[in-house]
Amino acid sequence: MSRSRVAAFLLVLLSLTMQIVCVHAAESDINSANSFISLGADLTDAERQIVLGFFNLDEVDLSNYNVITITNQEEHEYLDAHLDKGLIGNRALSSVMVTTREKGYGIHVITQNISYCTVGMYQNALATAGIKDADIMVVGPFSISGTAGLLGAIRSYEGLTGQAMDSEQIEAANQELAVSSRLGQVLDDPVRAEQLISIIKDKVIDNDYSQEKVGEIIDQTAAEMQISLTEEDRQRILELMDQVDKLDLNMEDIKLQISDLYAQLQNVTLHVEEEQAKGFLNRLWERFESFVMNLF
């Protein structure tokens, strides 16, 4: 294993270890003063108890917290433009606890019973929305898509800060989660979909690229990761990047908020570069062999 890969591996391991430490430390530091909860409006009593169990709360504890409910109508208002209505469903079940942390803590996400969206997809979308320095737990009473979890997180964060978040950033965040999660299903690999969107986003934000140039970046990144995109998915990513690039986002700030995710992406990038180098050397060797054979 090369030194660069060893270094990248150690960086990822350190990042994951720190995230686990942060999560365990956070569990003992959750209280009603710095936490806000959103519950799916259509939870049955039994499902509600399951959700509260994930939050390590009961109904008595819950009475000390600020709580809102998210309706299925709200879910459709925010997501219908980006997702199939059948995926959103007709019951609001996604529930979220948001706990604010000190400056520089970053965004840390835990999920339970969420089948469609990865932790990284949530982190990316939450950073795009403008959320900072928070523990966020997204749960369902049983296996659900979790696409509406972002809405619950945003509403809870607004409740904690007392400030409405930028509507254009919220729209872009919803679009980002929808595009990422859909691509994850198409590829049958949610993590690679999450990584592809993250790498493209990193290359596009803070650069005044034309739409043609962004399209080239999408094609190049997908090829480097050996991902075959349909024209429809390519267009969805292009539209997403166009939307994100219009926002006043700072990529360095985003990386600080989701540093663990970008530490893992560094390992992905190193692997891609090594594969490209191997391919170049193989082609060079084949040409040399061909040249030698032609001498005789």
Side-chain angles (χ1 to χ4, degrees):
M1 183 181 291
S2 66
R3 290 184 179 180
S4 61
R5 294 202 68 186
V6 170
F9 172 76
L10 291 175
L11 181 62
V12 172
L13 183 61
L14 177 61
S15 174
L16 291 174
T17 302
M18 289 301 295
Q19 186 175 17
I20 292 170
V21 170
C22 287
V23 167
H24 283 290
E27 287 177 353
S28 61
D29 195 32
I30 292 175
N31 60 68
S32 57
N34 66 340
S35 299
F36 205 104
I37 296 171
S38 72
L39 297 174
D42 296 315
L43 292 167
T44 66
D45 289 341
E47 291 166 349
R48 182 181 170 103
Q49 298 314 308
I50 293 172
V51 164
L52 292 182
F54 287 132
F55 296 151
N56 199 27
L57 300 174
D58 57 26
E59 292 290 351
V60 175
D61 298 323
L62 191 65
S63 64
N64 297 317
Y65 285 76
N66 288 310
V67 182
I68 59 172
T69 56
I70 302 295
T71 67
N72 187 242
Q73 180 179 343
E74 289 177 284
E75 293 177 343
H76 281 281
E77 287 174 358
Y78 275 85
L79 295 170
D80 276 357
H82 308 298
L83 287 171
D84 183 86
K85 292 182 179 180
L87 182 63
I88 302 169
N90 55 16
R91 295 181 66 206
L93 300 171
S94 295
S95 300
V96 182
M97 174 186 277
V98 176
T99 303
T100 53
R101 298 298 181 188
E102 68 277 5
K103 185 176 180 179
Y105 180 85
I107 299 171
H108 298 275
V109 177
I110 302 173
T111 63
Q112 291 284 354
N113 285 337
I114 303 300
S115 62
Y116 198 71
C117 304
T118 66
V119 166
M121 289 177 190
Y122 281 124
Q123 285 181 304
N124 255 323
L126 290 164
T128 297
I131 288 177
K132 296 181 178 180
D133 304 318
D135 280 313
I136 296 157
M137 183 180 292
V138 185
V139 306
F142 46 82
S143 183
I144 61 175
S145 70
T147 52
L150 180 63
L151 175 58
I154 290 170
R155 288 289 172 258
S156 295
Y157 189 77
E158 288 178 327
L160 278 169
T161 62
Q163 296 180 339
M165 302 185 71
D166 184 272
S167 60
E168 291 185 356
Q169 286 185 236
I170 292 175
E171 173 65 17
N174 279 312
Q175 185 178 355
E176 183 171 358
L177 187 65
V179 171
S180 300
S181 55
R182 182 186 184 279
L183 183 60
Q185 292 293 301
V186 171
L187 299 178
D188 195 27
D189 192 337
V191 174
R192 289 186 76 212
E194 158 203 318
Q195 292 170 342
L196 176 67
I197 298 298
S198 298
I199 293 172
I200 294 171
K201 185 176 171 183
D202 184 21
K203 293 178 179 179
V204 170
I205 290 181
D206 295 336
N207 292 294
D208 188 22
Y209 289 141
S210 66
Q211 193 170 53
E212 181 180 358
K213 176 62 176 178
V214 174
E216 292 174 1
I217 291 172
I218 293 170
D219 295 337
Q220 179 184 1
T221 307
E224 289 172 351
M225 294 183 66
Q226 298 183 332
I227 292 175
S228 178
L229 293 174
T230 65
E231 184 56 36
E232 181 181 3
D233 285 322
R234 181 186 184 277
Q235 185 62 31
R236 286 174 181 268
I237 297 172
L238 186 61
E239 291 172 359
L240 169 63
M241 293 304 148
D242 183 57
Q243 181 75 13
V244 168
D245 201 35
K246 292 176 182 176
L247 305 174
D248 186 23
L249 299 178
N250 183 296
M251 200 61 218
E252 291 307 312
D253 289 343
I254 289 176
K255 287 181 178 180
L256 287 174
Q257 286 298 313
I258 49 178
S259 58
D260 56 315
L261 175 61
Y262 276 90
Q264 295 174 53
L265 286 178
Q266 184 180 10
N267 194 37
V268 172
T269 303
L270 283 171
H271 176 71
V272 168
E273 289 174 350
E274 286 187 358
E275 291 301 314
Q276 288 176 331
K278 288 178 183 176
F280 172 76
L281 291 173
N282 286 336
R283 289 192 297 272
L284 192 63
W285 177 253
E286 288 171 359
R287 290 176 182 175
F288 175 73
E289 284 185 318
S290 177
F291 172 75
V292 172
M293 292 296 292
N294 288 333
L295 293 178
F296 302 97

